[in-house]
Amino acid sequence: MTTIQTAAKAPPVRFPRAAQPFVALGLAVLAEIGIAFFVLNVVSVPLIAVWVGIPMLLVFVPCVRWFANCHRTILSSFLGVRIERPYRKPPMPGVLMWLRTTLSDPATWRDIAWLLVNAVIGFTLNLLSAVLFLASVFYLIYPFLVWVTPDGVFDQPFGGLFRLNPLTAFAMIPLGLVAFLIWSASGERLLRANAYLAKSLLGPTESAQLAIRVRELAESRADTVDTQAAELRRIERDLHDGAQARLAALSMNLGMAEEMVARDPKQAAALLTEARESASTALSELRDLVRGIHPPVLADRGLDGAVRALALTCPFKVDVMYDVPGRPPAPVESAAYFAVAEALANAVKYSAATNAWIQITHEEERLHILVGDDGVGGATVTPGGGLHGIQRRLAAFDGTLTVVSPTGGPTTVIMELPCESSSLKITPSSGTA
């Protein structure tokens, strides 16, 4: 089974053209089922006064939201963009707080209004799209139906206006061709019209979009603050446990060598040798620490060179394809580099891969990064894991992460970062970028 994890806003999957009539027929049936949800919710509201309505709303409102979310997912395929869910979150836990927030949420009442509109207009548009296709199929196979069915079933079309036999039934085929041409021209447009109608009620209003955006930015900022705090703690811990301890030992060795240089030159020389080794080790650890903050190769050679250097350190073959006109801004470049590094590290640790590939391109004002391997698959985004760390790093830049990793492989990690063409630098950035 394929596992897909997304950070946000992955494009909806489009239905193939051949499946659209059956989707339309299913939507027409669901539109009439929605009438039951409409009636139950409308009846529940006045019954709140006698407390019966509260448990009814606790059941029926989530059902309506689930029903609406299913339609958001299906209808998004006809629009090419995802219909967002504009529901408010309760500020505090509790049944009464949830009920109060839900009843005061305009999205709740827009859902209920949509149920009624969908049962009338949506039903008509969907059914018309489906009937045009089914009518074309019906009349195209009409001679066969006349031939295989008993007399009086299909040989007297249009209420017995005239009688047909298996040969004259071929005269009905042009009707099928006309119906098919009409469906080809208007079938998808009818479904798209229904999708736009649903989006106008099920999608967020401008104020709701602003609230959703503010909430996303607040969550992203909180994640960024937590990530930066964790990074600072890591740097402090590495300095304390590594370079600081070695520099303290170096100071002690130099002090003892100073005291012993007169009475025991050989011992003093040994201490100086040990001090030199400690200084060399501390310098190496400091360099590693700096590389973890901002690798020099990234500043010197850009994202292309830094990623190719990463690929050379892997124990298996990694193919790199880089096609970005210019150089991204330093923060985006750094985020992309560490995301690729973490994805490769996960592949080395867990995938048992023999080959991997990295593809970095720039399209539609976004930096597209793909990291794949031919390993065992089964990768998922779990809290505290490496992929979750990538997700949080990208979220700080309003980026997205998609992981496609069926059991048995291959694994593909797809990352996107906003990066406008105007922000790409043609000239190399400085080492302090």
Side-chain angles (χ1 to χ4, degrees):
M1 180 179 293
T2 301
T3 301
I4 300 179
Q5 296 286 345
T6 62
K9 301 184 183 121
V13 178
R14 293 186 63 84
F15 288 105
R17 188 70 185 273
Q20 289 177 5
F22 306 100
V23 174
L25 189 61
L27 288 173
V29 174
L30 289 175
E32 296 310 301
I33 294 176
I35 286 291
F37 288 119
F38 174 81
V39 172
L40 291 171
N41 278 271
V42 170
V43 170
S44 300
V45 174
L47 292 179
I48 294 178
V50 292
W51 296 99
V52 178
I54 294 178
M56 292 178 65
L57 287 173
L58 291 176
V59 174
F60 297 141
V61 170
C63 288
V64 169
R65 291 192 172 184
W66 171 82
F67 190 72
N69 287 335
C70 290
H71 279 75
R72 287 186 180 96
T73 302
I74 295 172
L75 297 176
S76 292
S77 66
F78 301 110
L79 298 177
V81 294
R82 192 168 295 279
I83 302 176
E84 299 293 339
R85 303 176 183 183
Y87 303 120
R88 294 177 182 173
K89 292 183 178 180
M92 293 183 295
V95 174
L96 293 179
M97 180 56 67
W98 179 88
L99 187 62
R100 178 181 176 182
T101 304
T102 300
L103 293 180
S104 62
D105 188 355
T108 301
W109 304 105
R110 288 161 64 88
D111 284 355
I112 294 175
W114 166 78
L115 289 173
L116 186 59
V117 172
N118 188 51
V120 180
I121 302 177
F123 172 78
T124 303
L125 294 173
N126 289 318
L127 188 63
L128 183 57
S129 178
V131 166
L132 284 172
F133 177 80
L134 295 176
S136 68
V137 174
F138 176 77
Y139 286 114
L140 287 172
I141 65 172
Y142 202 86
F144 175 76
L145 295 176
V146 172
W147 179 53
V148 299
T149 56
D151 292 342
V153 179
F154 287 111
D155 58 352
Q156 299 180 33
F158 305 111
L161 186 62
F162 50 86
R163 188 178 181 85
L164 299 173
N165 58 47
L167 288 178
T168 57
F170 281 94
M172 303 298 288
I173 290 181
L175 283 178
L177 293 174
V178 171
F180 183 79
L181 290 174
I182 295 175
W183 172 81
S184 298
S186 62
E188 188 172 2
R189 287 185 172 90
L190 291 170
L191 293 174
R192 195 177 294 120
N194 177 48
Y196 278 114
L197 176 65
K199 184 182 179 182
S200 66
L201 289 172
L202 297 181
T205 60
E206 290 187 4
S207 59
Q209 284 180 328
L210 180 60
I212 291 172
R213 184 59 180 156
V214 169
R215 186 173 67 222
E216 289 176 350
L217 290 176
E219 293 173 352
S220 174
R221 182 185 63 181
D223 280 344
T224 303
V225 170
D226 291 343
T227 301
Q228 294 300 321
E231 188 70 8
L232 285 174
R233 288 194 297 269
R234 181 189 69 81
I235 294 172
E236 292 172 353
R237 184 176 62 252
D238 289 348
L239 285 173
H240 181 272
D241 297 342
Q244 180 178 328
R246 296 194 181 279
L247 289 174
L250 171 62
S251 177
M252 292 176 60
N253 286 340
L254 289 175
M256 289 188 294
E258 185 181 8
E259 293 177 359
M260 299 180 66
V261 69
R263 68 174 186 270
D264 193 350
K266 290 184 179 182
Q267 185 66 24
L271 289 172
L272 289 173
T273 300
E274 186 177 344
R276 186 183 70 245
E277 293 174 353
S278 295
S280 177
T281 304
L283 182 60
S284 176
E285 290 178 351
L286 286 172
R287 285 173 177 166
D288 291 340
L289 185 62
V290 169
R291 290 192 188 97
I293 299 172
H294 191 84
V297 67
L298 184 60
D300 296 338
R301 297 168 55 189
L303 184 59
D304 186 12
V307 168
R308 293 184 188 278
L310 273 177
L312 291 175
T313 63
C314 285
F316 45 74
K317 181 184 177 183
V318 180
D319 296 320
V320 179
M321 195 282 283
Y322 187 90
D323 184 16
V324 179
R327 187 165 175 180
V332 174
E333 199 173 53
S334 178
Y337 171 81
F338 284 111
V340 172
E342 184 62 40
L344 278 181
N346 275 5
V348 172
K349 290 180 184 177
Y350 308 114
S351 71
T354 57
N355 288 283
W357 50 91
I358 301 171
Q359 179 178 323
I360 303 177
T361 57
H362 182 268
E363 297 175 2
E364 299 179 353
E365 307 300 328
R366 296 181 75 83
L367 193 66
H368 299 267
I369 306 168
L370 185 149
V371 181
D373 65 71
D374 62 354
V376 296
T380 57
V381 180
T382 56
L387 293 175
H388 184 251
I390 298 175
Q391 188 181 70
R392 295 178 64 182
R393 185 183 293 273
L394 298 181
F397 296 86
D398 203 19
T400 63
L401 169 73
T402 304
V403 180
V404 182
S405 185
T407 302
T411 295
T412 305
V413 180
I414 305 167
M415 298 167 278
E416 292 187 3
L417 281 168
C419 181
E420 296 182 1
S421 299
S422 57
S423 65
L424 291 170
K425 296 174 286 185
I426 303 302
T427 58
S429 63
S430 65
T432 59

